[in-house]
Amino acid sequence: MKKTAWVCFFLLLLLPGLLYAQRRTVQPYWYTLEQGKRYFRNGAYGDALRAFEEARRDREAMYARMERTMIELLSVPEVRRLGDSLEQVEAYIADRNRYEAAAALKELYYRIPKESLGNSAKKVLEELDRLKAYPEAEYWIGEVYRLEGETLIALGQYEKALARQDLLETPGFNVEILYKTAELLRLRRNYPEMEKRLLEIIEGNGPDGRPRDFLWTGGGGSPARNAMARTLETQGMGRFLTLYRYADPVVERAHRLLGFYYYAAGRHIPAADHLMFAFLMQTSTLIDEVLKHRFDYTFTSLDALIDEAARRPAMSSYMAEAEYYKTMYYLGAALYGSLKVNAAREFWTFTAGRAAGPWKGRSELQLRSPFVERALERP
């Protein structure tokens, strides 16, 4: 009995470690990441950080094992005589039942198209090494540090994630990371780098490989923008909104933030261009929302559209979130700074009549005695 009791005692001591080892063996890295997200959402940031770091280590270790397996295989004299032919290496693996190597290739082909390897065994090693990176984990580690106020560490983590954005599993997730990066750069007053990141959102390519903002970069570029600006400046916002319709929630905020930044920096012409795009995208989104409920709706005037928005809480919430009247006010201010006085007054007249709070008061002040706000070296 005494011996049995001691055995039971030691088993109880070993059990937690055995269970932990079993969990570490069975639980895949992506599941650990999801666990970390749950901790994060529940405010358990210490547990979340540990889970994210564990997920990063587990992924790196998994692909490192696969890389070692392939290195050992390719070092076999018989295989070395096959040269760099992946086809022949695969045949060797099948003939000799090299299960670990077969599993490594299966995992690799799941992650990347086999044809991208160009029948090169050497390329297999390069890709397995590249796949050790886990940009999602780097991002979420950064999120924990951001919430803890460690902005410099968080920025470093976001940059690590962006350096391997080609491995992100969610299409377009790099845009969210770019926005987070730009916001932290703004808080740290690193405005040139903030500008670069916001421009990267607008001028980069989407998941389909085409320009993310096709009207800005791929739909005519500067000539298209010039034509839009001429319509706005000479024929007014009503005609502008009748001729053009362009809703793109992914890049709208980047245009808006750049517009505010350029105006604060005294760069009125690019400010007007970006705020014009933000205003068009915001208004097009409002029109699209009305069309969801009234298929026969036709845009007639901005006043009528805002009346419609006032009756729909979702539209009013969107206007607040998108800083609609602030966008209009600063678009007017940027146009005035670009010597487009009549166009500026039209925007200020509208915001003075329809906005509430500071944008109403500031618009009324501009209408009484227009002025260009002092350019700030650091907005």
Side-chain angles (χ1 to χ4, degrees), residues 245 282-312 314-316 318-319:
R245 196 67 46 76
Q282 292 171 3
T283 307
S284 297
T285 298
L286 292 174
I287 292 170
D288 288 347
E289 183 62 26
V290 177
L291 286 168
K292 288 179 186 176
H293 304 279
R294 289 178 48 195
F295 67 91
D296 60 341
Y297 173 78
T298 301
F299 175 82
T300 54
S301 71
L302 190 55
D303 267 311
L305 177 64
I306 298 306
D307 287 339
E308 189 76 34
R311 294 191 289 270
R312 301 185 184 278
M315 292 176 69
S316 297
Y318 171 76
M319 290 173 69

PDB file of all heavy atoms in Angstrom, residues 245 282-312 314-316 318-319:
ATOM      1  N   ARG A 245     -19.582  59.100 -58.525  1.00  0.00           N
ATOM      2  CA  ARG A 245     -20.001  58.232 -57.434  1.00  0.00           C
ATOM      3  C   ARG A 245     -18.877  57.240 -57.169  1.00  0.00           C
ATOM      4  O   ARG A 245     -18.459  56.519 -58.064  1.00  0.00           O
ATOM      5  CB  ARG A 245     -21.288  57.495 -57.815  1.00  0.00           C
ATOM      6  CG  ARG A 245     -22.047  56.859 -56.678  1.00  0.00           C
ATOM      7  CD  ARG A 245     -22.620  57.904 -55.724  1.00  0.00           C
ATOM      8  NE  ARG A 245     -23.279  59.011 -56.368  1.00  0.00           N
ATOM      9  CZ  ARG A 245     -24.505  58.969 -56.923  1.00  0.00           C
ATOM     10  NH1 ARG A 245     -25.195  57.856 -56.889  1.00  0.00           N
ATOM     11  NH2 ARG A 245     -25.022  60.033 -57.483  1.00  0.00           N
ATOM     12  N   GLN A 282     -17.487  59.370 -48.770  1.00  0.00           N
ATOM     13  CA  GLN A 282     -18.451  59.407 -47.674  1.00  0.00           C
ATOM     14  C   GLN A 282     -19.873  59.617 -48.202  1.00  0.00           C
ATOM     15  O   GLN A 282     -20.814  58.917 -47.791  1.00  0.00           O
ATOM     16  CB  GLN A 282     -18.089  60.541 -46.709  1.00  0.00           C
ATOM     17  CG  GLN A 282     -16.802  60.320 -45.940  1.00  0.00           C
ATOM     18  CD  GLN A 282     -16.378  61.561 -45.170  1.00  0.00           C
ATOM     19  OE1 GLN A 282     -17.081  62.579 -45.158  1.00  0.00           O
ATOM     20  NE2 GLN A 282     -15.221  61.489 -44.523  1.00  0.00           N
ATOM     21  N   THR A 283     -20.033  60.561 -49.114  1.00  0.00           N
ATOM     22  CA  THR A 283     -21.368  60.852 -49.644  1.00  0.00           C
ATOM     23  C   THR A 283     -21.883  59.692 -50.479  1.00  0.00           C
ATOM     24  O   THR A 283     -23.081  59.349 -50.418  1.00  0.00           O
ATOM     25  CB  THR A 283     -21.335  62.145 -50.476  1.00  0.00           C
ATOM     26  OG1 THR A 283     -20.750  63.198 -49.705  1.00  0.00           O
ATOM     27  CG2 THR A 283     -22.743  62.563 -50.889  1.00  0.00           C
ATOM     28  N   SER A 284     -21.017  59.049 -51.251  1.00  0.00           N
ATOM     29  CA  SER A 284     -21.423  57.885 -52.035  1.00  0.00           C
ATOM     30  C   SER A 284     -21.876  56.748 -51.123  1.00  0.00           C
ATOM     31  O   SER A 284     -22.823  56.027 -51.436  1.00  0.00           O
ATOM     32  CB  SER A 284     -20.268  57.412 -52.926  1.00  0.00           C
ATOM     33  OG  SER A 284     -19.916  58.409 -53.865  1.00  0.00           O
ATOM     34  N   THR A 285     -21.212  56.599 -49.981  1.00  0.00           N
ATOM     35  CA  THR A 285     -21.608  55.572 -49.010  1.00  0.00           C
ATOM     36  C   THR A 285     -23.000  55.869 -48.461  1.00  0.00           C
ATOM     37  O   THR A 285     -23.832  54.963 -48.295  1.00  0.00           O
ATOM     38  CB  THR A 285     -20.581  55.503 -47.864  1.00  0.00           C
ATOM     39  OG1 THR A 285     -19.308  55.137 -48.404  1.00  0.00           O
ATOM     40  CG2 THR A 285     -20.995  54.481 -46.811  1.00  0.00           C
ATOM     41  N   LEU A 286     -23.289  57.146 -48.194  1.00  0.00           N
ATOM     42  CA  LEU A 286     -24.619  57.535 -47.720  1.00  0.00           C
ATOM     43  C   LEU A 286     -25.682  57.231 -48.781  1.00  0.00           C
ATOM     44  O   LEU A 286     -26.761  56.714 -48.471  1.00  0.00           O
ATOM     45  CB  LEU A 286     -24.638  59.024 -47.367  1.00  0.00           C
ATOM     46  CG  LEU A 286     -23.804  59.444 -46.150  1.00  0.00           C
ATOM     47  CD1 LEU A 286     -23.787  60.965 -46.012  1.00  0.00           C
ATOM     48  CD2 LEU A 286     -24.331  58.797 -44.872  1.00  0.00           C
ATOM     49  N   ILE A 287     -25.375  57.542 -50.012  1.00  0.00           N
ATOM     50  CA  ILE A 287     -26.327  57.271 -51.103  1.00  0.00           C
ATOM     51  C   ILE A 287     -26.568  55.766 -51.232  1.00  0.00           C
ATOM     52  O   ILE A 287     -27.715  55.314 -51.397  1.00  0.00           O
ATOM     53  CB  ILE A 287     -25.797  57.862 -52.428  1.00  0.00           C
ATOM     54  CG1 ILE A 287     -25.810  59.397 -52.358  1.00  0.00           C
ATOM     55  CG2 ILE A 287     -26.642  57.387 -53.622  1.00  0.00           C
ATOM     56  CD1 ILE A 287     -25.089  60.085 -53.501  1.00  0.00           C
ATOM     57  N   ASP A 288     -25.505  54.988 -51.154  1.00  0.00           N
ATOM     58  CA  ASP A 288     -25.645  53.526 -51.241  1.00  0.00           C
ATOM     59  C   ASP A 288     -26.519  52.991 -50.109  1.00  0.00           C
ATOM     60  O   ASP A 288     -27.297  52.046 -50.303  1.00  0.00           O
ATOM     61  CB  ASP A 288     -24.275  52.855 -51.189  1.00  0.00           C
ATOM     62  CG  ASP A 288     -23.476  53.050 -52.473  1.00  0.00           C
ATOM     63  OD1 ASP A 288     -24.067  53.479 -53.476  1.00  0.00           O
ATOM     64  OD2 ASP A 288     -22.259  52.789 -52.448  1.00  0.00           O
ATOM     65  N   GLU A 289     -26.392  53.590 -48.926  1.00  0.00           N
ATOM     66  CA  GLU A 289     -27.202  53.147 -47.783  1.00  0.00           C
ATOM     67  C   GLU A 289     -28.684  53.425 -48.028  1.00  0.00           C
ATOM     68  O   GLU A 289     -29.544  52.598 -47.700  1.00  0.00           O
ATOM     69  CB  GLU A 289     -26.728  53.849 -46.517  1.00  0.00           C
ATOM     70  CG  GLU A 289     -27.432  53.436 -45.243  1.00  0.00           C
ATOM     71  CD  GLU A 289     -27.246  51.962 -44.894  1.00  0.00           C
ATOM     72  OE1 GLU A 289     -26.226  51.360 -45.303  1.00  0.00           O
ATOM     73  OE2 GLU A 289     -28.136  51.411 -44.215  1.00  0.00           O
ATOM     74  N   VAL A 290     -28.994  54.575 -48.614  1.00  0.00           N
ATOM     75  CA  VAL A 290     -30.391  54.883 -48.936  1.00  0.00           C
ATOM     76  C   VAL A 290     -30.924  53.890 -49.967  1.00  0.00           C
ATOM     77  O   VAL A 290     -32.056  53.391 -49.858  1.00  0.00           O
ATOM     78  CB  VAL A 290     -30.530  56.326 -49.463  1.00  0.00           C
ATOM     79  CG1 VAL A 290     -31.990  56.604 -49.868  1.00  0.00           C
ATOM     80  CG2 VAL A 290     -30.090  57.328 -48.415  1.00  0.00           C
ATOM     81  N   LEU A 291     -30.111  53.578 -50.963  1.00  0.00           N
ATOM     82  CA  LEU A 291     -30.533  52.653 -52.021  1.00  0.00           C
ATOM     83  C   LEU A 291     -30.832  51.252 -51.496  1.00  0.00           C
ATOM     84  O   LEU A 291     -31.600  50.507 -52.117  1.00  0.00           O
ATOM     85  CB  LEU A 291     -29.461  52.583 -53.112  1.00  0.00           C
ATOM     86  CG  LEU A 291     -29.378  53.810 -54.031  1.00  0.00           C
ATOM     87  CD1 LEU A 291     -28.108  53.771 -54.877  1.00  0.00           C
ATOM     88  CD2 LEU A 291     -30.619  53.880 -54.936  1.00  0.00           C
ATOM     89  N   LYS A 292     -30.225  50.882 -50.370  1.00  0.00           N
ATOM     90  CA  LYS A 292     -30.534  49.573 -49.784  1.00  0.00           C
ATOM     91  C   LYS A 292     -31.987  49.495 -49.334  1.00  0.00           C
ATOM     92  O   LYS A 292     -32.581  48.418 -49.295  1.00  0.00           O
ATOM     93  CB  LYS A 292     -29.634  49.316 -48.568  1.00  0.00           C
ATOM     94  CG  LYS A 292     -28.186  49.036 -48.906  1.00  0.00           C
ATOM     95  CD  LYS A 292     -27.393  48.823 -47.609  1.00  0.00           C
ATOM     96  CE  LYS A 292     -25.908  48.682 -47.877  1.00  0.00           C
ATOM     97  NZ  LYS A 292     -25.133  48.572 -46.605  1.00  0.00           N
ATOM     98  N   HIS A 293     -32.558  50.637 -48.986  1.00  0.00           N
ATOM     99  CA  HIS A 293     -33.923  50.679 -48.464  1.00  0.00           C
ATOM    100  C   HIS A 293     -34.915  51.230 -49.486  1.00  0.00           C
ATOM    101  O   HIS A 293     -36.104  50.927 -49.407  1.00  0.00           O
ATOM    102  CB  HIS A 293     -33.974  51.544 -47.202  1.00  0.00           C
ATOM    103  CG  HIS A 293     -33.017  51.087 -46.141  1.00  0.00           C
ATOM    104  ND1 HIS A 293     -33.292  50.044 -45.280  1.00  0.00           N
ATOM    105  CD2 HIS A 293     -31.762  51.516 -45.813  1.00  0.00           C
ATOM    106  CE1 HIS A 293     -32.266  49.849 -44.470  1.00  0.00           C
ATOM    107  NE2 HIS A 293     -31.326  50.736 -44.763  1.00  0.00           N
ATOM    108  N   ARG A 294     -34.418  52.062 -50.415  1.00  0.00           N
ATOM    109  CA  ARG A 294     -35.286  52.647 -51.455  1.00  0.00           C
ATOM    110  C   ARG A 294     -34.619  52.454 -52.811  1.00  0.00           C
ATOM    111  O   ARG A 294     -33.778  53.254 -53.219  1.00  0.00           O
ATOM    112  CB  ARG A 294     -35.495  54.137 -51.175  1.00  0.00           C
ATOM    113  CG  ARG A 294     -36.364  54.443 -49.974  1.00  0.00           C
ATOM    114  CD  ARG A 294     -36.478  55.947 -49.763  1.00  0.00           C
ATOM    115  NE  ARG A 294     -36.798  56.652 -50.998  1.00  0.00           N
ATOM    116  CZ  ARG A 294     -36.676  57.963 -51.172  1.00  0.00           C
ATOM    117  NH1 ARG A 294     -36.191  58.709 -50.183  1.00  0.00           N
ATOM    118  NH2 ARG A 294     -36.998  58.529 -52.316  1.00  0.00           N
ATOM    119  N   PHE A 295     -35.001  51.375 -53.494  1.00  0.00           N
ATOM    120  CA  PHE A 295     -34.334  51.042 -54.755  1.00  0.00           C
ATOM    121  C   PHE A 295     -34.576  52.090 -55.833  1.00  0.00           C
ATOM    122  O   PHE A 295     -33.820  52.199 -56.794  1.00  0.00           O
ATOM    123  CB  PHE A 295     -34.797  49.666 -55.252  1.00  0.00           C
ATOM    124  CG  PHE A 295     -36.239  49.608 -55.672  1.00  0.00           C
ATOM    125  CD1 PHE A 295     -36.599  49.865 -56.989  1.00  0.00           C
ATOM    126  CD2 PHE A 295     -37.230  49.306 -54.753  1.00  0.00           C
ATOM    127  CE1 PHE A 295     -37.928  49.816 -57.385  1.00  0.00           C
ATOM    128  CE2 PHE A 295     -38.571  49.260 -55.144  1.00  0.00           C
ATOM    129  CZ  PHE A 295     -38.919  49.512 -56.461  1.00  0.00           C
ATOM    130  N   ASP A 296     -35.638  52.888 -55.681  1.00  0.00           N
ATOM    131  CA  ASP A 296     -35.965  53.895 -56.693  1.00  0.00           C
ATOM    132  C   ASP A 296     -35.365  55.270 -56.350  1.00  0.00           C
ATOM    133  O   ASP A 296     -35.668  56.267 -57.021  1.00  0.00           O
ATOM    134  CB  ASP A 296     -37.480  54.027 -56.851  1.00  0.00           C
ATOM    135  CG  ASP A 296     -38.179  54.446 -55.555  1.00  0.00           C
ATOM    136  OD1 ASP A 296     -37.559  54.290 -54.478  1.00  0.00           O
ATOM    137  OD2 ASP A 296     -39.325  54.919 -55.615  1.00  0.00           O
ATOM    138  N   TYR A 297     -34.520  55.315 -55.337  1.00  0.00           N
ATOM    139  CA  TYR A 297     -33.961  56.607 -54.898  1.00  0.00           C
ATOM    140  C   TYR A 297     -33.045  57.195 -55.964  1.00  0.00           C
ATOM    141  O   TYR A 297     -32.247  56.495 -56.584  1.00  0.00           O
ATOM    142  CB  TYR A 297     -33.177  56.429 -53.605  1.00  0.00           C
ATOM    143  CG  TYR A 297     -32.434  57.677 -53.166  1.00  0.00           C
ATOM    144  CD1 TYR A 297     -33.095  58.722 -52.538  1.00  0.00           C
ATOM    145  CD2 TYR A 297     -31.066  57.812 -53.406  1.00  0.00           C
ATOM    146  CE1 TYR A 297     -32.416  59.862 -52.137  1.00  0.00           C
ATOM    147  CE2 TYR A 297     -30.376  58.946 -53.005  1.00  0.00           C
ATOM    148  CZ  TYR A 297     -31.059  59.972 -52.369  1.00  0.00           C
ATOM    149  OH  TYR A 297     -30.386  61.096 -51.990  1.00  0.00           O
ATOM    150  N   THR A 298     -33.165  58.506 -56.147  1.00  0.00           N
ATOM    151  CA  THR A 298     -32.278  59.244 -57.048  1.00  0.00           C
ATOM    152  C   THR A 298     -31.742  60.453 -56.305  1.00  0.00           C
ATOM    153  O   THR A 298     -32.516  61.198 -55.673  1.00  0.00           O
ATOM    154  CB  THR A 298     -33.026  59.713 -58.318  1.00  0.00           C
ATOM    155  OG1 THR A 298     -33.554  58.575 -58.988  1.00  0.00           O
ATOM    156  CG2 THR A 298     -32.076  60.453 -59.260  1.00  0.00           C
ATOM    157  N   PHE A 299     -30.429  60.626 -56.376  1.00  0.00           N
ATOM    158  CA  PHE A 299     -29.826  61.785 -55.709  1.00  0.00           C
ATOM    159  C   PHE A 299     -30.266  63.063 -56.404  1.00  0.00           C
ATOM    160  O   PHE A 299     -30.164  63.204 -57.624  1.00  0.00           O
ATOM    161  CB  PHE A 299     -28.304  61.682 -55.748  1.00  0.00           C
ATOM    162  CG  PHE A 299     -27.603  62.893 -55.192  1.00  0.00           C
ATOM    163  CD1 PHE A 299     -27.430  63.041 -53.832  1.00  0.00           C
ATOM    164  CD2 PHE A 299     -27.138  63.895 -56.041  1.00  0.00           C
ATOM    165  CE1 PHE A 299     -26.801  64.160 -53.311  1.00  0.00           C
ATOM    166  CE2 PHE A 299     -26.514  65.024 -55.531  1.00  0.00           C
ATOM    167  CZ  PHE A 299     -26.342  65.154 -54.165  1.00  0.00           C
ATOM    168  N   THR A 300     -30.770  64.013 -55.615  1.00  0.00           N
ATOM    169  CA  THR A 300     -31.183  65.306 -56.171  1.00  0.00           C
ATOM    170  C   THR A 300     -30.369  66.456 -55.590  1.00  0.00           C
ATOM    171  O   THR A 300     -29.987  67.370 -56.319  1.00  0.00           O
ATOM    172  CB  THR A 300     -32.678  65.556 -55.894  1.00  0.00           C
ATOM    173  OG1 THR A 300     -32.927  65.428 -54.480  1.00  0.00           O
ATOM    174  CG2 THR A 300     -33.554  64.560 -56.656  1.00  0.00           C
ATOM    175  N   SER A 301     -30.123  66.396 -54.287  1.00  0.00           N
ATOM    176  CA  SER A 301     -29.324  67.444 -53.638  1.00  0.00           C
ATOM    177  C   SER A 301     -28.743  66.895 -52.345  1.00  0.00           C
ATOM    178  O   SER A 301     -29.266  65.930 -51.767  1.00  0.00           O
ATOM    179  CB  SER A 301     -30.190  68.674 -53.337  1.00  0.00           C
ATOM    180  OG  SER A 301     -31.097  68.386 -52.288  1.00  0.00           O
ATOM    181  N   LEU A 302     -27.680  67.538 -51.887  1.00  0.00           N
ATOM    182  CA  LEU A 302     -27.062  67.107 -50.638  1.00  0.00           C
ATOM    183  C   LEU A 302     -27.989  67.392 -49.462  1.00  0.00           C
ATOM    184  O   LEU A 302     -28.051  66.613 -48.511  1.00  0.00           O
ATOM    185  CB  LEU A 302     -25.713  67.809 -50.447  1.00  0.00           C
ATOM    186  CG  LEU A 302     -24.846  67.281 -49.305  1.00  0.00           C
ATOM    187  CD1 LEU A 302     -24.597  65.780 -49.438  1.00  0.00           C
ATOM    188  CD2 LEU A 302     -23.517  68.022 -49.257  1.00  0.00           C
ATOM    189  N   ASP A 303     -28.735  68.472 -49.537  1.00  0.00           N
ATOM    190  CA  ASP A 303     -29.702  68.772 -48.470  1.00  0.00           C
ATOM    191  C   ASP A 303     -30.709  67.644 -48.306  1.00  0.00           C
ATOM    192  O   ASP A 303     -30.992  67.206 -47.187  1.00  0.00           O
ATOM    193  CB  ASP A 303     -30.426  70.085 -48.775  1.00  0.00           C
ATOM    194  CG  ASP A 303     -29.745  71.281 -48.132  1.00  0.00           C
ATOM    195  OD1 ASP A 303     -29.456  71.203 -46.922  1.00  0.00           O
ATOM    196  OD2 ASP A 303     -29.479  72.266 -48.833  1.00  0.00           O
ATOM    197  N   ALA A 304     -31.241  67.172 -49.437  1.00  0.00           N
ATOM    198  CA  ALA A 304     -32.241  66.093 -49.382  1.00  0.00           C
ATOM    199  C   ALA A 304     -31.612  64.805 -48.843  1.00  0.00           C
ATOM    200  O   ALA A 304     -32.246  64.061 -48.089  1.00  0.00           O
ATOM    201  CB  ALA A 304     -32.829  65.860 -50.774  1.00  0.00           C
ATOM    202  N   LEU A 305     -30.379  64.543 -49.211  1.00  0.00           N
ATOM    203  CA  LEU A 305     -29.698  63.345 -48.731  1.00  0.00           C
ATOM    204  C   LEU A 305     -29.482  63.415 -47.220  1.00  0.00           C
ATOM    205  O   LEU A 305     -29.691  62.425 -46.505  1.00  0.00           O
ATOM    206  CB  LEU A 305     -28.356  63.177 -49.447  1.00  0.00           C
ATOM    207  CG  LEU A 305     -27.497  61.987 -48.994  1.00  0.00           C
ATOM    208  CD1 LEU A 305     -28.199  60.662 -49.302  1.00  0.00           C
ATOM    209  CD2 LEU A 305     -26.122  62.028 -49.665  1.00  0.00           C
ATOM    210  N   ILE A 306     -29.097  64.582 -46.712  1.00  0.00           N
ATOM    211  CA  ILE A 306     -28.864  64.726 -45.271  1.00  0.00           C
ATOM    212  C   ILE A 306     -30.188  64.606 -44.510  1.00  0.00           C
ATOM    213  O   ILE A 306     -30.228  64.060 -43.394  1.00  0.00           O
ATOM    214  CB  ILE A 306     -28.156  66.054 -44.961  1.00  0.00           C
ATOM    215  CG1 ILE A 306     -26.783  66.095 -45.644  1.00  0.00           C
ATOM    216  CG2 ILE A 306     -28.017  66.258 -43.461  1.00  0.00           C
ATOM    217  CD1 ILE A 306     -25.876  64.918 -45.321  1.00  0.00           C
ATOM    218  N   ASP A 307     -31.287  65.096 -45.108  1.00  0.00           N
ATOM    219  CA  ASP A 307     -32.606  64.899 -44.490  1.00  0.00           C
ATOM    220  C   ASP A 307     -32.918  63.411 -44.365  1.00  0.00           C
ATOM    221  O   ASP A 307     -33.456  62.954 -43.351  1.00  0.00           O
ATOM    222  CB  ASP A 307     -33.694  65.587 -45.328  1.00  0.00           C
ATOM    223  CG  ASP A 307     -33.650  67.108 -45.197  1.00  0.00           C
ATOM    224  OD1 ASP A 307     -33.086  67.603 -44.195  1.00  0.00           O
ATOM    225  OD2 ASP A 307     -34.170  67.798 -46.096  1.00  0.00           O
ATOM    226  N   GLU A 308     -32.591  62.672 -45.421  1.00  0.00           N
ATOM    227  CA  GLU A 308     -32.801  61.217 -45.404  1.00  0.00           C
ATOM    228  C   GLU A 308     -31.927  60.570 -44.324  1.00  0.00           C
ATOM    229  O   GLU A 308     -32.374  59.676 -43.599  1.00  0.00           O
ATOM    230  CB  GLU A 308     -32.455  60.637 -46.779  1.00  0.00           C
ATOM    231  CG  GLU A 308     -32.810  59.182 -46.983  1.00  0.00           C
ATOM    232  CD  GLU A 308     -34.297  58.955 -47.210  1.00  0.00           C
ATOM    233  OE1 GLU A 308     -34.953  59.832 -47.823  1.00  0.00           O
ATOM    234  OE2 GLU A 308     -34.793  57.896 -46.771  1.00  0.00           O
ATOM    235  N   ALA A 309     -30.682  61.026 -44.210  1.00  0.00           N
ATOM    236  CA  ALA A 309     -29.757  60.466 -43.218  1.00  0.00           C
ATOM    237  C   ALA A 309     -30.256  60.720 -41.794  1.00  0.00           C
ATOM    238  O   ALA A 309     -30.087  59.869 -40.917  1.00  0.00           O
ATOM    239  CB  ALA A 309     -28.370  61.067 -43.403  1.00  0.00           C
ATOM    240  N   ALA A 310     -30.881  61.880 -41.577  1.00  0.00           N
ATOM    241  CA  ALA A 310     -31.368  62.222 -40.237  1.00  0.00           C
ATOM    242  C   ALA A 310     -32.461  61.254 -39.773  1.00  0.00           C
ATOM    243  O   ALA A 310     -32.655  61.070 -38.563  1.00  0.00           O
ATOM    244  CB  ALA A 310     -31.905  63.654 -40.232  1.00  0.00           C
ATOM    245  N   ARG A 311     -33.140  60.625 -40.733  1.00  0.00           N
ATOM    246  CA  ARG A 311     -34.201  59.676 -40.374  1.00  0.00           C
ATOM    247  C   ARG A 311     -33.676  58.259 -40.166  1.00  0.00           C
ATOM    248  O   ARG A 311     -34.436  57.371 -39.786  1.00  0.00           O
ATOM    249  CB  ARG A 311     -35.277  59.665 -41.477  1.00  0.00           C
ATOM    250  CG  ARG A 311     -36.042  60.965 -41.609  1.00  0.00           C
ATOM    251  CD  ARG A 311     -37.253  60.809 -42.501  1.00  0.00           C
ATOM    252  NE  ARG A 311     -36.882  60.650 -43.905  1.00  0.00           N
ATOM    253  CZ  ARG A 311     -36.728  61.671 -44.759  1.00  0.00           C
ATOM    254  NH1 ARG A 311     -36.901  62.928 -44.328  1.00  0.00           N
ATOM    255  NH2 ARG A 311     -36.408  61.454 -46.019  1.00  0.00           N
ATOM    256  N   ARG A 312     -32.400  58.034 -40.450  1.00  0.00           N
ATOM    257  CA  ARG A 312     -31.829  56.688 -40.367  1.00  0.00           C
ATOM    258  C   ARG A 312     -30.640  56.702 -39.402  1.00  0.00           C
ATOM    259  O   ARG A 312     -29.585  57.247 -39.719  1.00  0.00           O
ATOM    260  CB  ARG A 312     -31.396  56.208 -41.753  1.00  0.00           C
ATOM    261  CG  ARG A 312     -32.542  56.172 -42.759  1.00  0.00           C
ATOM    262  CD  ARG A 312     -32.112  55.581 -44.096  1.00  0.00           C
ATOM    263  NE  ARG A 312     -33.183  55.651 -45.063  1.00  0.00           N
ATOM    264  CZ  ARG A 312     -34.188  54.784 -45.142  1.00  0.00           C
ATOM    265  NH1 ARG A 312     -34.233  53.768 -44.302  1.00  0.00           N
ATOM    266  NH2 ARG A 312     -35.134  54.930 -46.061  1.00  0.00           N
ATOM    267  N   ALA A 314     -28.410  54.558 -38.612  1.00  0.00           N
ATOM    268  CA  ALA A 314     -27.157  53.984 -39.136  1.00  0.00           C
ATOM    269  C   ALA A 314     -26.395  55.013 -39.955  1.00  0.00           C
ATOM    270  O   ALA A 314     -25.159  55.092 -39.886  1.00  0.00           O
ATOM    271  CB  ALA A 314     -27.447  52.750 -39.975  1.00  0.00           C
ATOM    272  N   MET A 315     -27.124  55.834 -40.718  1.00  0.00           N
ATOM    273  CA  MET A 315     -26.471  56.848 -41.550  1.00  0.00           C
ATOM    274  C   MET A 315     -25.917  57.971 -40.681  1.00  0.00           C
ATOM    275  O   MET A 315     -24.817  58.463 -40.927  1.00  0.00           O
ATOM    276  CB  MET A 315     -27.465  57.392 -42.579  1.00  0.00           C
ATOM    277  CG  MET A 315     -27.862  56.360 -43.640  1.00  0.00           C
ATOM    278  SD  MET A 315     -29.122  56.968 -44.797  1.00  0.00           S
ATOM    279  CE  MET A 315     -28.197  58.210 -45.714  1.00  0.00           C
ATOM    280  N   SER A 316     -26.666  58.361 -39.666  1.00  0.00           N
ATOM    281  CA  SER A 316     -26.174  59.407 -38.754  1.00  0.00           C
ATOM    282  C   SER A 316     -24.916  58.942 -38.017  1.00  0.00           C
ATOM    283  O   SER A 316     -23.968  59.714 -37.827  1.00  0.00           O
ATOM    284  CB  SER A 316     -27.266  59.779 -37.750  1.00  0.00           C
ATOM    285  OG  SER A 316     -28.390  60.318 -38.419  1.00  0.00           O
ATOM    286  N   TYR A 318     -22.776  56.731 -39.124  1.00  0.00           N
ATOM    287  CA  TYR A 318     -21.674  56.713 -40.086  1.00  0.00           C
ATOM    288  C   TYR A 318     -21.100  58.114 -40.283  1.00  0.00           C
ATOM    289  O   TYR A 318     -19.876  58.298 -40.330  1.00  0.00           O
ATOM    290  CB  TYR A 318     -22.132  56.147 -41.431  1.00  0.00           C
ATOM    291  CG  TYR A 318     -21.089  56.321 -42.504  1.00  0.00           C
ATOM    292  CD1 TYR A 318     -19.959  55.498 -42.541  1.00  0.00           C
ATOM    293  CD2 TYR A 318     -21.188  57.347 -43.459  1.00  0.00           C
ATOM    294  CE1 TYR A 318     -18.962  55.676 -43.487  1.00  0.00           C
ATOM    295  CE2 TYR A 318     -20.201  57.531 -44.409  1.00  0.00           C
ATOM    296  CZ  TYR A 318     -19.092  56.692 -44.426  1.00  0.00           C
ATOM    297  OH  TYR A 318     -18.104  56.886 -45.360  1.00  0.00           O
ATOM    298  N   MET A 319     -21.973  59.122 -40.386  1.00  0.00           N
ATOM    299  CA  MET A 319     -21.507  60.499 -40.582  1.00  0.00           C
ATOM    300  C   MET A 319     -20.626  60.954 -39.424  1.00  0.00           C
ATOM    301  O   MET A 319     -19.611  61.617 -39.633  1.00  0.00           O
ATOM    302  CB  MET A 319     -22.704  61.444 -40.755  1.00  0.00           C
ATOM    303  CG  MET A 319     -23.447  61.255 -42.075  1.00  0.00           C
ATOM    304  SD  MET A 319     -24.958  62.253 -42.154  1.00  0.00           S
ATOM    305  CE  MET A 319     -24.255  63.907 -42.241  1.00  0.00           C
TER     306      MET A 319
END
